[in-house]
Amino acid sequence: HDILFKNISVFSESGNMPKSLFKGFDEEHRVRNIAIDGLFLNGFRIQNKAHANLEIRDFCDDIILR
């Protein structure tokens, strides 16, 4: 709960962002309130979840990219 990832730089020769998976365990053990503030691929800021290659599965709430 309430986790901030800040200024993450990823370098990729292929130019593709590797997948990041978020998944809670069950209804009582959810992943929630996660913020990613400053995600960069090869020096360029990623602006949306699709380009960030985020896979958000079951039992997740409020995962944001800013």
Side-chain angles (χ1 to χ4, degrees):
H1 292 42
D2 302 317
I3 296 174
L4 171 63
F5 293 98
K6 190 165 182 151
N7 295 325
I8 299 169
S9 294
V10 177
F11 297 94
S12 169
E13 289 183 12
S14 70
N16 297 319
M17 178 65 79
K19 185 180 296 184
S20 295
L21 171 67
F22 293 89
K23 182 180 180 206
F25 184 73
D26 59 23
E27 194 64 45
E28 293 181 22
H29 302 91
R30 302 184 71 82
V31 171
R32 65 181 80 172
N33 299 327
I34 309 295
I36 303 167
D37 186 1
L39 176 61
F40 300 86
L41 175 61
N42 294 338
F44 295 95
R45 187 179 193 112
I46 302 297
Q47 300 290 332
N48 61 56
K49 288 181 185 177
H51 289 128
N53 202 9
L54 302 180
E55 185 173 338
I56 301 171
R57 293 194 182 173
D58 298 332
F59 309 113
C60 292
D61 303 301
D62 300 320
I63 298 175
I64 61 169
L65 178 67
R66 52 184 185 198

